[in-house]
Amino acid sequence: MPRILLRERSLWMGRTPTGFGWDAGVGGPIPEPCNTMGEGAAVSRTLGRRARASARARGRVGCCRGRNAFLLVVLLELRETISTATSNLQALPQSCSPIPGTRWGRMKLLGAVLLAASLLGAAAREERSPWPDDPSRTCFFQMLSGVDGEFCRGDLEIIYPELGDVGCTYIPKCHQYRRRISREWGSPRVRYPQAEKSKKYVLVLVDPDAPSRANPRNRFWRHWLVTDIPGADLRTGDVKGLVLTDYVRPTPPPRSGYHRYQLRLYEQPAHEAIALSPEERVSLGAWAMESFVEQFRLGSPVASTQFLTKYYED
């Protein structure tokens, strides 16, 4: 894809590339009195900026992941640019066409823009429907927003196989990811790059929406509790410490909607021995998490994140 954009840029700058159906040498330098960085170059710069911004946004916005993911993202941005490019081309005086040849040069320049759009459109169609009987081959990862998105802070990463860091996202249904996170995969890797090597930390994973977000009577269902985690291990994503509650996979009940699975990381006070009471060890549900935090003087989390998922057959 970058090669296509670079080739189009060379055309707009007045040098015709080979391989696009035009003869080499047709372009040549832009004659006076035209500005050497005229409207055609401005269109090229606009496309380049949008393409680079789209590439940077891929990992931050809940966009698609697949063979032509980059093409799909750029296509969305290119749609806004085509109309601007076309109107700029129409406004060019014939004596200042970025490609010599007046009207013929203007037509070539417009053709380059349309060619880029058609190539991206074809790639996007190929990505959307190469397997008509399997519409889930392309995954779209939606980021959390609003209050749910504000919960994520401190660059805490929760990493599952194939999915990578699922912090601040909805788990997609494609590739049976919801079933696999509920039935197959074990505990995730947890990484906190800002952890101090000389300190220890407490990791808590809870479901505040048990049995549903509308009726959370068993809220703060405890899915994982680990204390005495060395900061050096957290920096690499290797959680080692005293396990007070073994990892329990996210298992939202059928027809209960999306559940939040919240991961909180606390700095453990020095020389503080943390333990669950006999009553807490008996049951995972309706855990008084706030009382636990207050009892052991954990304070506010140094970092937190969450992901949302629901029953895999819903």
Side-chain angles (χ1 to χ4, degrees), residues 12 61 76 78 126 130 157 161 180 227 241 244:
W12 287 325
V61 181
L76 296 175
L78 185 61
E126 178 188 357
E157 301 174 10
R180 299 173 74 182
T227 67
L244 301 184

Side-chain angles (χ1 to χ4, degrees), residues 205-262:
L205 177 64
V206 294
D207 174 7
D209 303 323
S212 70
R213 193 164 185 171
N215 181 27
R217 61 180 182 274
N218 294 324
R219 67 177 307 157
F220 297 126
W221 192 283
R222 199 169 63 253
H223 281 262
W224 202 14
L225 177 58
V226 186
T227 67
D228 298 280
I229 305 173
D233 291 342
L234 273 175
R235 293 170 69 96
T236 62
D238 187 13
V239 176
K240 295 178 180 178
L242 177 61
V243 179
L244 301 184
T245 300
D246 289 327
Y247 175 75
V248 178
R249 297 185 182 102
T251 52
R255 297 177 296 279
S256 63
Y258 279 103
H259 285 233
R260 295 167 291 173
Y261 290 90
Q262 299 180 336

